[in-house]
Amino acid sequence: MTSITEESSNKVFGGWQKVFSHQSKELGCKMKFGVYIPPQSDSGPVPVVYWLSGLTCTEQNFVTKAGSQSHAAKHGFLVVAPDTSPRGCNIEGEDDSYDFGSGAGFYIDATEEKWKANYRMYSYVTKELPAVIAANFKVQPDSNAIMGHSMGGHGALICALKNPGMYKSVSAFAPICNPVSCPWGVKAFTGYLGEANKDAWKEYDACELLKKYNGPPLEILVDQGKGDNFLGEGQLLPDNLVGACAKVGVPVVMRMHEDYDHSYYFISTFIPDHFEHHAKFLKD
């Protein structure tokens, strides 16, 4: 069994909200992740929902602000919320800005020399972390869903599109939909993947991945606040995702909400709908 260390444990809605740490082989550092264990886990294996957080976040943001535990308990889902990047790798410049380096792993596997040994969040989320969860918790095999916010919404979309069938459902809050075309994405991809390697950039862009998606039917749910300042700044580009889905016939429900911003107030308002969305596919 993979060695994990319990960092905290709190009883909530009949289950347990816990935080664990472990030594990650993919990232070469100690990582933390939150796990909500629903009461249904006492009776047998349960489905898993992965949550990927956004820029500057740790595992704590979703755990403490989203109000997800009651909905996870209702549906009997184990919810896993990892950190957003490696920490303390002693890489020059890793703490210089909020949108690159620490807290900004972008859920990709870096190829640039400076970052490639540690910044492998894509492999961590899709390979190492699921193996850790399967080894340490009572979960149903092949019964996974994924969702996320902002940078994590981007992560959820690309993980689902790059691994057809791995996740039965996917959803996102205010995702970075087309990172090759927005300032956040251009900065991250230039730094992690190299300015000249534009083909590699496309392998981590939902709008580009949709062009060649050839897997099981995938119904995407997205919530976006109209009062989100990053929407106006051209960082999120939801219309590009809708257009890309339309071209290839992948269903997407893009819900635009008047006045809602980019915060966890927005997420906590609509998180029940996302659990209902995943329940349609995880309970069939």
Side-chain angles (χ1 to χ4, degrees), residues 25-75:
K25 293 180 180 178
E26 285 287 356
L27 307 178
C29 68
K30 180 180 177 180
M31 289 292 287
K32 290 183 178 180
F33 58 91
V35 176
Y36 178 71
I37 304 171
Q40 292 87 340
S41 183
D42 292 341
S43 303
V46 295
V48 183
V49 177
Y50 290 90
W51 169 271
L52 305 183
S53 289
L55 288 167
T56 75
C57 291
T58 69
E59 79 289 340
Q60 286 295 319
N61 296 73
F62 181 75
V63 166
T64 59
K65 295 181 179 181
S68 63
Q69 291 88 354
S70 64
H71 310 294
K74 172 186 174 181
H75 293 290

mmCIF file of all heavy atoms in Angstrom, residues 25-75:
data_model
loop_
_atom_site.group_PDB
_atom_site.id
_atom_site.type_symbol
_atom_site.label_atom_id
_atom_site.label_comp_id
_atom_site.label_asym_id
_atom_site.label_seq_id
_atom_site.Cartn_x
_atom_site.Cartn_y
_atom_site.Cartn_z
ATOM 1 N N LYS A 25 6.375 10.661 -6.375
ATOM 2 C CA LYS A 25 7.460 10.288 -7.287
ATOM 3 C C LYS A 25 7.421 11.147 -8.549
ATOM 4 O O LYS A 25 8.460 11.515 -9.090
ATOM 5 C CB LYS A 25 7.349 8.802 -7.636
ATOM 6 C CG LYS A 25 7.602 7.873 -6.453
ATOM 7 C CD LYS A 25 7.490 6.418 -6.861
ATOM 8 C CE LYS A 25 7.743 5.499 -5.677
ATOM 9 N NZ LYS A 25 7.603 4.057 -6.035
ATOM 10 N N GLU A 26 6.229 11.446 -9.023
ATOM 11 C CA GLU A 26 6.110 12.252 -10.248
ATOM 12 C C GLU A 26 6.644 13.665 -10.052
ATOM 13 O O GLU A 26 7.273 14.230 -10.948
ATOM 14 C CB GLU A 26 4.645 12.333 -10.699
ATOM 15 C CG GLU A 26 4.108 11.075 -11.347
ATOM 16 C CD GLU A 26 4.649 10.843 -12.754
ATOM 17 O OE1 GLU A 26 5.396 11.707 -13.276
ATOM 18 O OE2 GLU A 26 4.329 9.786 -13.331
ATOM 19 N N LEU A 27 6.383 14.239 -8.878
ATOM 20 C CA LEU A 27 6.705 15.641 -8.651
ATOM 21 C C LEU A 27 7.983 15.849 -7.844
ATOM 22 O O LEU A 27 8.479 16.973 -7.756
ATOM 23 C CB LEU A 27 5.530 16.328 -7.948
ATOM 24 C CG LEU A 27 4.168 16.170 -8.633
ATOM 25 C CD1 LEU A 27 3.087 16.861 -7.822
ATOM 26 C CD2 LEU A 27 4.194 16.703 -10.055
ATOM 27 N N GLY A 28 8.476 14.786 -7.244
ATOM 28 C CA GLY A 28 9.722 14.881 -6.499
ATOM 29 C C GLY A 28 9.636 15.739 -5.252
ATOM 30 O O GLY A 28 10.611 16.392 -4.869
ATOM 31 N N CYS A 29 8.461 15.756 -4.620
ATOM 32 C CA CYS A 29 8.290 16.549 -3.411
ATOM 33 C C CYS A 29 7.117 15.993 -2.607
ATOM 34 O O CYS A 29 6.379 15.128 -3.085
ATOM 35 C CB CYS A 29 8.035 18.022 -3.747
ATOM 36 S SG CYS A 29 6.458 18.328 -4.556
ATOM 37 N N LYS A 30 6.969 16.502 -1.413
ATOM 38 C CA LYS A 30 5.818 16.137 -0.586
ATOM 39 C C LYS A 30 4.587 16.867 -1.087
ATOM 40 O O LYS A 30 4.626 18.063 -1.350
ATOM 41 C CB LYS A 30 6.094 16.513 0.873
ATOM 42 C CG LYS A 30 4.976 16.178 1.842
ATOM 43 C CD LYS A 30 5.359 16.607 3.259
ATOM 44 C CE LYS A 30 4.245 16.369 4.255
ATOM 45 N NZ LYS A 30 4.617 16.796 5.625
ATOM 46 N N MET A 31 3.478 16.123 -1.246
ATOM 47 C CA MET A 31 2.226 16.713 -1.719
ATOM 48 C C MET A 31 1.106 16.434 -0.734
ATOM 49 O O MET A 31 1.071 15.386 -0.089
ATOM 50 C CB MET A 31 1.849 16.143 -3.090
ATOM 51 C CG MET A 31 2.737 16.624 -4.218
ATOM 52 S SD MET A 31 2.534 18.389 -4.590
ATOM 53 C CE MET A 31 0.932 18.384 -5.414
ATOM 54 N N LYS A 32 0.183 17.369 -0.659
ATOM 55 C CA LYS A 32 -1.025 17.184 0.148
ATOM 56 C C LYS A 32 -2.244 17.067 -0.761
ATOM 57 O O LYS A 32 -2.277 17.630 -1.850
ATOM 58 C CB LYS A 32 -1.217 18.361 1.109
ATOM 59 C CG LYS A 32 -0.207 18.436 2.231
ATOM 60 C CD LYS A 32 -0.531 19.600 3.161
ATOM 61 C CE LYS A 32 0.446 19.671 4.321
ATOM 62 N NZ LYS A 32 0.145 20.803 5.232
ATOM 63 N N PHE A 33 -3.232 16.321 -0.283
ATOM 64 C CA PHE A 33 -4.504 16.258 -0.987
ATOM 65 C C PHE A 33 -5.627 16.068 0.022
ATOM 66 O O PHE A 33 -5.473 15.392 1.042
ATOM 67 C CB PHE A 33 -4.524 15.145 -2.039
ATOM 68 C CG PHE A 33 -4.251 13.766 -1.510
ATOM 69 C CD1 PHE A 33 -5.295 12.937 -1.083
ATOM 70 C CD2 PHE A 33 -2.952 13.275 -1.438
ATOM 71 C CE1 PHE A 33 -5.037 11.665 -0.602
ATOM 72 C CE2 PHE A 33 -2.685 11.999 -0.954
ATOM 73 C CZ PHE A 33 -3.737 11.184 -0.538
ATOM 74 N N GLY A 34 -6.765 16.695 -0.260
ATOM 75 C CA GLY A 34 -7.949 16.517 0.563
ATOM 76 C C GLY A 34 -8.748 15.328 0.087
ATOM 77 O O GLY A 34 -8.802 15.049 -1.118
ATOM 78 N N VAL A 35 -9.386 14.626 1.023
ATOM 79 C CA VAL A 35 -10.282 13.513 0.693
ATOM 80 C C VAL A 35 -11.526 13.602 1.572
ATOM 81 O O VAL A 35 -11.398 13.595 2.804
ATOM 82 C CB VAL A 35 -9.616 12.139 0.905
ATOM 83 C CG1 VAL A 35 -10.620 11.014 0.632
ATOM 84 C CG2 VAL A 35 -8.413 11.959 0.010
ATOM 85 N N TYR A 36 -12.700 13.703 0.958
ATOM 86 C CA TYR A 36 -13.928 13.537 1.719
ATOM 87 C C TYR A 36 -14.363 12.087 1.576
ATOM 88 O O TYR A 36 -14.578 11.595 0.465
ATOM 89 C CB TYR A 36 -15.050 14.457 1.238
ATOM 90 C CG TYR A 36 -16.310 14.209 2.041
ATOM 91 C CD1 TYR A 36 -16.375 14.611 3.379
ATOM 92 C CD2 TYR A 36 -17.398 13.528 1.508
ATOM 93 C CE1 TYR A 36 -17.497 14.353 4.155
ATOM 94 C CE2 TYR A 36 -18.525 13.265 2.276
ATOM 95 C CZ TYR A 36 -18.565 13.679 3.598
ATOM 96 O OH TYR A 36 -19.679 13.409 4.368
ATOM 97 N N ILE A 37 -14.491 11.414 2.724
ATOM 98 C CA ILE A 37 -14.913 10.012 2.751
ATOM 99 C C ILE A 37 -16.380 9.983 3.178
ATOM 100 O O ILE A 37 -16.698 10.318 4.328
ATOM 101 C CB ILE A 37 -14.049 9.197 3.726
ATOM 102 C CG1 ILE A 37 -12.564 9.328 3.371
ATOM 103 C CG2 ILE A 37 -14.472 7.729 3.717
ATOM 104 C CD1 ILE A 37 -11.624 8.739 4.408
ATOM 105 N N PRO A 38 -17.287 9.628 2.282
ATOM 106 C CA PRO A 38 -18.713 9.691 2.618
ATOM 107 C C PRO A 38 -19.110 8.553 3.547
ATOM 108 O O PRO A 38 -18.416 7.527 3.630
ATOM 109 C CB PRO A 38 -19.380 9.537 1.254
ATOM 110 C CG PRO A 38 -18.446 8.656 0.487
ATOM 111 C CD PRO A 38 -17.058 9.079 0.931
ATOM 112 N N PRO A 39 -20.222 8.689 4.260
ATOM 113 C CA PRO A 39 -20.661 7.615 5.155
ATOM 114 C C PRO A 39 -20.916 6.300 4.433
ATOM 115 O O PRO A 39 -20.769 5.232 5.019
ATOM 116 C CB PRO A 39 -21.941 8.175 5.786
ATOM 117 C CG PRO A 39 -22.350 9.337 4.936
ATOM 118 C CD PRO A 39 -21.103 9.879 4.332
ATOM 119 N N GLN A 40 -21.262 6.354 3.150
ATOM 120 C CA GLN A 40 -21.532 5.138 2.376
ATOM 121 C C GLN A 40 -20.298 4.258 2.241
ATOM 122 O O GLN A 40 -20.409 3.065 1.958
ATOM 123 C CB GLN A 40 -22.065 5.499 0.982
ATOM 124 C CG GLN A 40 -23.440 6.139 0.965
ATOM 125 C CD GLN A 40 -23.404 7.649 1.137
ATOM 126 O OE1 GLN A 40 -22.416 8.213 1.637
ATOM 127 N NE2 GLN A 40 -24.460 8.332 0.716
ATOM 128 N N SER A 41 -19.126 4.855 2.438
ATOM 129 C CA SER A 41 -17.886 4.086 2.345
ATOM 130 C C SER A 41 -17.806 3.004 3.419
ATOM 131 O O SER A 41 -17.074 2.016 3.255
ATOM 132 C CB SER A 41 -16.681 5.033 2.458
ATOM 133 O OG SER A 41 -15.463 4.343 2.314
ATOM 134 N N ASP A 42 -18.549 3.162 4.512
ATOM 135 C CA ASP A 42 -18.564 2.142 5.562
ATOM 136 C C ASP A 42 -19.148 0.826 5.062
ATOM 137 O O ASP A 42 -18.840 -0.242 5.601
ATOM 138 C CB ASP A 42 -19.382 2.617 6.763
ATOM 139 C CG ASP A 42 -18.728 3.776 7.498
ATOM 140 O OD1 ASP A 42 -17.505 3.973 7.320
ATOM 141 O OD2 ASP A 42 -19.436 4.480 8.236
ATOM 142 N N SER A 43 -19.982 0.917 4.023
ATOM 143 C CA SER A 43 -20.683 -0.269 3.520
ATOM 144 C C SER A 43 -20.036 -0.892 2.297
ATOM 145 O O SER A 43 -20.426 -1.984 1.873
ATOM 146 C CB SER A 43 -22.139 0.098 3.187
ATOM 147 O OG SER A 43 -22.793 0.630 4.314
ATOM 148 N N GLY A 44 -19.068 -0.193 1.689
ATOM 149 C CA GLY A 44 -18.420 -0.749 0.508
ATOM 150 C C GLY A 44 -17.826 0.323 -0.373
ATOM 151 O O GLY A 44 -17.882 1.522 -0.052
ATOM 152 N N PRO A 45 -17.255 -0.070 -1.516
ATOM 153 C CA PRO A 45 -16.592 0.875 -2.415
ATOM 154 C C PRO A 45 -17.556 1.929 -2.970
ATOM 155 O O PRO A 45 -18.738 1.656 -3.203
ATOM 156 C CB PRO A 45 -16.050 -0.020 -3.535
ATOM 157 C CG PRO A 45 -15.963 -1.386 -2.926
ATOM 158 C CD PRO A 45 -17.110 -1.471 -1.972
ATOM 159 N N VAL A 46 -17.043 3.127 -3.178
ATOM 160 C CA VAL A 46 -17.840 4.251 -3.676
ATOM 161 C C VAL A 46 -17.152 4.883 -4.885
ATOM 162 O O VAL A 46 -15.947 4.723 -5.083
ATOM 163 C CB VAL A 46 -18.033 5.315 -2.576
ATOM 164 C CG1 VAL A 46 -18.854 4.756 -1.420
ATOM 165 C CG2 VAL A 46 -16.683 5.838 -2.065
ATOM 166 N N PRO A 47 -17.911 5.615 -5.723
ATOM 167 C CA PRO A 47 -17.299 6.337 -6.843
ATOM 168 C C PRO A 47 -16.399 7.474 -6.352
ATOM 169 O O PRO A 47 -16.508 7.921 -5.209
ATOM 170 C CB PRO A 47 -18.508 6.901 -7.608
ATOM 171 C CG PRO A 47 -19.679 6.100 -7.143
ATOM 172 C CD PRO A 47 -19.380 5.727 -5.723
ATOM 173 N N VAL A 48 -15.518 7.938 -7.244
ATOM 174 C CA VAL A 48 -14.576 9.016 -6.918
ATOM 175 C C VAL A 48 -14.823 10.213 -7.818
ATOM 176 O O VAL A 48 -14.957 10.071 -9.044
ATOM 177 C CB VAL A 48 -13.109 8.557 -7.096
ATOM 178 C CG1 VAL A 48 -12.162 9.672 -6.668
ATOM 179 C CG2 VAL A 48 -12.843 7.292 -6.312
ATOM 180 N N VAL A 49 -14.873 11.391 -7.214
ATOM 181 C CA VAL A 49 -14.912 12.645 -7.962
ATOM 182 C C VAL A 49 -13.637 13.421 -7.644
ATOM 183 O O VAL A 49 -13.337 13.683 -6.479
ATOM 184 C CB VAL A 49 -16.145 13.489 -7.599
ATOM 185 C CG1 VAL A 49 -16.114 14.823 -8.354
ATOM 186 C CG2 VAL A 49 -17.435 12.734 -7.920
ATOM 187 N N TYR A 50 -12.889 13.775 -8.678
ATOM 188 C CA TYR A 50 -11.676 14.575 -8.522
ATOM 189 C C TYR A 50 -12.000 16.042 -8.753
ATOM 190 O O TYR A 50 -12.728 16.385 -9.689
ATOM 191 C CB TYR A 50 -10.601 14.128 -9.512
ATOM 192 C CG TYR A 50 -10.029 12.771 -9.197
ATOM 193 C CD1 TYR A 50 -10.595 11.610 -9.734
ATOM 194 C CD2 TYR A 50 -8.942 12.637 -8.342
ATOM 195 C CE1 TYR A 50 -10.088 10.353 -9.421
ATOM 196 C CE2 TYR A 50 -8.423 11.382 -8.032
ATOM 197 C CZ TYR A 50 -9.006 10.256 -8.574
ATOM 198 O OH TYR A 50 -8.511 9.014 -8.257
ATOM 199 N N TRP A 51 -11.456 16.889 -7.888
ATOM 200 C CA TRP A 51 -11.599 18.336 -8.032
ATOM 201 C C TRP A 51 -10.214 18.946 -8.236
ATOM 202 O O TRP A 51 -9.290 18.691 -7.470
ATOM 203 C CB TRP A 51 -12.231 18.967 -6.793
ATOM 204 C CG TRP A 51 -12.144 20.461 -6.815
ATOM 205 C CD1 TRP A 51 -11.124 21.244 -6.328
ATOM 206 C CD2 TRP A 51 -13.089 21.373 -7.390
ATOM 207 N NE1 TRP A 51 -11.386 22.579 -6.561
ATOM 208 C CE2 TRP A 51 -12.577 22.687 -7.206
ATOM 209 C CE3 TRP A 51 -14.317 21.210 -8.044
ATOM 210 C CZ2 TRP A 51 -13.263 23.819 -7.660
ATOM 211 C CZ3 TRP A 51 -14.989 22.339 -8.496
ATOM 212 C CH2 TRP A 51 -14.470 23.626 -8.291
ATOM 213 N N LEU A 52 -10.084 19.786 -9.273
ATOM 214 C CA LEU A 52 -8.831 20.476 -9.552
ATOM 215 C C LEU A 52 -9.032 21.976 -9.343
ATOM 216 O O LEU A 52 -9.905 22.580 -9.958
ATOM 217 C CB LEU A 52 -8.377 20.209 -10.992
ATOM 218 C CG LEU A 52 -8.228 18.733 -11.390
ATOM 219 C CD1 LEU A 52 -7.698 18.629 -12.819
ATOM 220 C CD2 LEU A 52 -7.333 17.980 -10.422
ATOM 221 N N SER A 53 -8.225 22.555 -8.473
ATOM 222 C CA SER A 53 -8.377 23.965 -8.118
ATOM 223 C C SER A 53 -7.601 24.888 -9.054
ATOM 224 O O SER A 53 -6.817 24.443 -9.893
ATOM 225 C CB SER A 53 -7.920 24.186 -6.674
ATOM 226 O OG SER A 53 -8.837 23.610 -5.769
ATOM 227 N N GLY A 54 -7.818 26.187 -8.856
ATOM 228 C CA GLY A 54 -7.258 27.194 -9.745
ATOM 229 C C GLY A 54 -5.988 27.845 -9.233
ATOM 230 O O GLY A 54 -5.412 27.449 -8.216
ATOM 231 N N LEU A 55 -5.548 28.861 -9.955
ATOM 232 C CA LEU A 55 -4.321 29.578 -9.645
ATOM 233 C C LEU A 55 -4.291 30.057 -8.195
ATOM 234 O O LEU A 55 -5.301 30.541 -7.677
ATOM 235 C CB LEU A 55 -4.176 30.793 -10.565
ATOM 236 C CG LEU A 55 -3.837 30.504 -12.031
ATOM 237 C CD1 LEU A 55 -4.038 31.761 -12.874
ATOM 238 C CD2 LEU A 55 -2.416 29.998 -12.164
ATOM 239 N N THR A 56 -3.158 29.925 -7.573
ATOM 240 C CA THR A 56 -2.837 30.337 -6.189
ATOM 241 C C THR A 56 -3.418 29.405 -5.134
ATOM 242 O O THR A 56 -3.131 29.569 -3.949
ATOM 243 C CB THR A 56 -3.290 31.786 -5.853
ATOM 244 O OG1 THR A 56 -4.702 31.834 -5.660
ATOM 245 C CG2 THR A 56 -2.882 32.759 -6.954
ATOM 246 N N CYS A 57 -4.230 28.437 -5.520
ATOM 247 C CA CYS A 57 -4.912 27.595 -4.539
ATOM 248 C C CYS A 57 -4.029 26.448 -4.043
ATOM 249 O O CYS A 57 -3.076 26.038 -4.702
ATOM 250 C CB CYS A 57 -6.184 27.004 -5.127
ATOM 251 S SG CYS A 57 -7.496 28.218 -5.417
ATOM 252 N N THR A 58 -4.409 25.923 -2.879
ATOM 253 C CA THR A 58 -3.895 24.651 -2.379
ATOM 254 C C THR A 58 -5.082 23.707 -2.272
ATOM 255 O O THR A 58 -6.183 24.022 -2.742
ATOM 256 C CB THR A 58 -3.250 24.811 -0.989
ATOM 257 O OG1 THR A 58 -4.277 25.096 -0.020
ATOM 258 C CG2 THR A 58 -2.221 25.930 -0.989
ATOM 259 N N GLU A 59 -4.881 22.569 -1.619
ATOM 260 C CA GLU A 59 -5.996 21.649 -1.410
ATOM 261 C C GLU A 59 -7.056 22.235 -0.478
ATOM 262 O O GLU A 59 -8.213 21.790 -0.464
ATOM 263 C CB GLU A 59 -5.485 20.307 -0.859
ATOM 264 C CG GLU A 59 -5.171 20.277 0.628
ATOM 265 C CD GLU A 59 -3.934 21.059 1.021
ATOM 266 O OE1 GLU A 59 -3.083 21.315 0.129
ATOM 267 O OE2 GLU A 59 -3.802 21.410 2.215
ATOM 268 N N GLN A 60 -6.704 23.276 0.271
ATOM 269 C CA GLN A 60 -7.596 23.803 1.290
ATOM 270 C C GLN A 60 -8.750 24.624 0.732
ATOM 271 O O GLN A 60 -9.825 24.685 1.332
ATOM 272 C CB GLN A 60 -6.808 24.651 2.289
ATOM 273 C CG GLN A 60 -5.961 23.848 3.253
ATOM 274 C CD GLN A 60 -6.800 22.981 4.175
ATOM 275 O OE1 GLN A 60 -7.850 23.401 4.670
ATOM 276 N NE2 GLN A 60 -6.337 21.759 4.405
ATOM 277 N N ASN A 61 -8.570 25.288 -0.390
ATOM 278 C CA ASN A 61 -9.603 26.193 -0.889
ATOM 279 C C ASN A 61 -10.932 25.489 -1.112
ATOM 280 O O ASN A 61 -11.980 25.920 -0.633
ATOM 281 C CB ASN A 61 -9.138 26.868 -2.183
ATOM 282 C CG ASN A 61 -7.932 27.743 -1.967
ATOM 283 O OD1 ASN A 61 -6.819 27.239 -1.760
ATOM 284 N ND2 ASN A 61 -8.114 29.055 -1.989
ATOM 285 N N PHE A 62 -10.889 24.392 -1.837
ATOM 286 C CA PHE A 62 -12.116 23.651 -2.103
ATOM 287 C C PHE A 62 -12.660 23.017 -0.836
ATOM 288 O O PHE A 62 -13.864 23.060 -0.568
ATOM 289 C CB PHE A 62 -11.850 22.574 -3.162
ATOM 290 C CG PHE A 62 -13.076 21.772 -3.517
ATOM 291 C CD1 PHE A 62 -14.066 22.311 -4.313
ATOM 292 C CD2 PHE A 62 -13.239 20.481 -3.043
ATOM 293 C CE1 PHE A 62 -15.195 21.575 -4.638
ATOM 294 C CE2 PHE A 62 -14.355 19.728 -3.364
ATOM 295 C CZ PHE A 62 -15.342 20.288 -4.164
ATOM 296 N N VAL A 63 -11.777 22.440 -0.027
ATOM 297 C CA VAL A 63 -12.177 21.748 1.195
ATOM 298 C C VAL A 63 -12.940 22.674 2.131
ATOM 299 O O VAL A 63 -13.952 22.291 2.718
ATOM 300 C CB VAL A 63 -10.937 21.163 1.898
ATOM 301 C CG1 VAL A 63 -11.261 20.736 3.322
ATOM 302 C CG2 VAL A 63 -10.386 19.986 1.110
ATOM 303 N N THR A 64 -12.487 23.911 2.262
ATOM 304 C CA THR A 64 -13.050 24.816 3.261
ATOM 305 C C THR A 64 -14.105 25.777 2.722
ATOM 306 O O THR A 64 -14.911 26.291 3.497
ATOM 307 C CB THR A 64 -11.944 25.648 3.929
ATOM 308 O OG1 THR A 64 -11.246 26.401 2.929
ATOM 309 C CG2 THR A 64 -10.958 24.756 4.658
ATOM 310 N N LYS A 65 -14.141 26.025 1.410
ATOM 311 C CA LYS A 65 -15.005 27.081 0.879
ATOM 312 C C LYS A 65 -16.147 26.622 -0.024
ATOM 313 O O LYS A 65 -17.117 27.352 -0.208
ATOM 314 C CB LYS A 65 -14.157 28.096 0.092
ATOM 315 C CG LYS A 65 -13.160 28.871 0.928
ATOM 316 C CD LYS A 65 -12.397 29.853 0.049
ATOM 317 C CE LYS A 65 -11.408 30.677 0.859
ATOM 318 N NZ LYS A 65 -10.684 31.648 -0.007
ATOM 319 N N ALA A 66 -16.052 25.440 -0.610
ATOM 320 C CA ALA A 66 -17.017 25.050 -1.649
ATOM 321 C C ALA A 66 -18.332 24.533 -1.085
ATOM 322 O O ALA A 66 -19.341 24.504 -1.797
ATOM 323 C CB ALA A 66 -16.401 24.006 -2.571
ATOM 324 N N GLY A 67 -18.352 24.115 0.168
ATOM 325 C CA GLY A 67 -19.566 23.525 0.723
ATOM 326 C C GLY A 67 -19.948 22.209 0.056
ATOM 327 O O GLY A 67 -21.125 21.884 -0.092
ATOM 328 N N SER A 68 -18.941 21.449 -0.322
ATOM 329 C CA SER A 68 -19.183 20.248 -1.123
ATOM 330 C C SER A 68 -19.559 19.024 -0.305
ATOM 331 O O SER A 68 -20.160 18.083 -0.828
ATOM 332 C CB SER A 68 -17.919 19.914 -1.928
ATOM 333 O OG SER A 68 -16.840 19.610 -1.054
ATOM 334 N N GLN A 69 -19.222 19.008 0.987
ATOM 335 C CA GLN A 69 -19.322 17.768 1.752
ATOM 336 C C GLN A 69 -20.758 17.247 1.859
ATOM 337 O O GLN A 69 -20.982 16.040 1.785
ATOM 338 C CB GLN A 69 -18.717 17.955 3.149
ATOM 339 C CG GLN A 69 -17.204 18.124 3.157
ATOM 340 C CD GLN A 69 -16.751 19.562 2.988
ATOM 341 O OE1 GLN A 69 -17.562 20.454 2.750
ATOM 342 N NE2 GLN A 69 -15.450 19.809 3.117
ATOM 343 N N SER A 70 -21.719 18.134 2.032
ATOM 344 C CA SER A 70 -23.105 17.668 2.156
ATOM 345 C C SER A 70 -23.582 16.989 0.883
ATOM 346 O O SER A 70 -24.331 16.005 0.924
ATOM 347 C CB SER A 70 -24.034 18.835 2.509
ATOM 348 O OG SER A 70 -24.083 19.797 1.472
ATOM 349 N N HIS A 71 -23.137 17.495 -0.256
ATOM 350 C CA HIS A 71 -23.557 16.930 -1.540
ATOM 351 C C HIS A 71 -22.823 15.619 -1.828
ATOM 352 O O HIS A 71 -23.411 14.680 -2.371
ATOM 353 C CB HIS A 71 -23.317 17.949 -2.648
ATOM 354 C CG HIS A 71 -23.876 19.297 -2.316
ATOM 355 N ND1 HIS A 71 -25.230 19.526 -2.196
ATOM 356 C CD2 HIS A 71 -23.262 20.475 -2.032
ATOM 357 C CE1 HIS A 71 -25.429 20.787 -1.874
ATOM 358 N NE2 HIS A 71 -24.251 21.382 -1.761
ATOM 359 N N ALA A 72 -21.559 15.552 -1.438
ATOM 360 C CA ALA A 72 -20.818 14.302 -1.569
ATOM 361 C C ALA A 72 -21.429 13.228 -0.683
ATOM 362 O O ALA A 72 -21.527 12.054 -1.069
ATOM 363 C CB ALA A 72 -19.352 14.518 -1.209
ATOM 364 N N ALA A 73 -21.866 13.618 0.518
ATOM 365 C CA ALA A 73 -22.504 12.667 1.431
ATOM 366 C C ALA A 73 -23.839 12.186 0.866
ATOM 367 O O ALA A 73 -24.176 11.002 0.949
ATOM 368 C CB ALA A 73 -22.700 13.309 2.794
ATOM 369 N N LYS A 74 -24.594 13.100 0.298
ATOM 370 C CA LYS A 74 -25.889 12.749 -0.286
ATOM 371 C C LYS A 74 -25.741 11.687 -1.377
ATOM 372 O O LYS A 74 -26.504 10.715 -1.429
ATOM 373 C CB LYS A 74 -26.556 14.002 -0.863
ATOM 374 C CG LYS A 74 -27.819 13.723 -1.667
ATOM 375 C CD LYS A 74 -28.336 14.995 -2.312
ATOM 376 C CE LYS A 74 -29.520 14.706 -3.238
ATOM 377 N NZ LYS A 74 -30.009 15.952 -3.901
ATOM 378 N N HIS A 75 -24.736 11.873 -2.221
ATOM 379 C CA HIS A 75 -24.575 10.980 -3.371
ATOM 380 C C HIS A 75 -23.639 9.808 -3.093
ATOM 381 O O HIS A 75 -23.569 8.873 -3.897
ATOM 382 C CB HIS A 75 -24.057 11.775 -4.568
ATOM 383 C CG HIS A 75 -25.039 12.776 -5.101
ATOM 384 N ND1 HIS A 75 -26.188 12.406 -5.770
ATOM 385 C CD2 HIS A 75 -25.040 14.135 -5.043
ATOM 386 C CE1 HIS A 75 -26.855 13.496 -6.122
ATOM 387 N NE2 HIS A 75 -26.182 14.564 -5.696
#
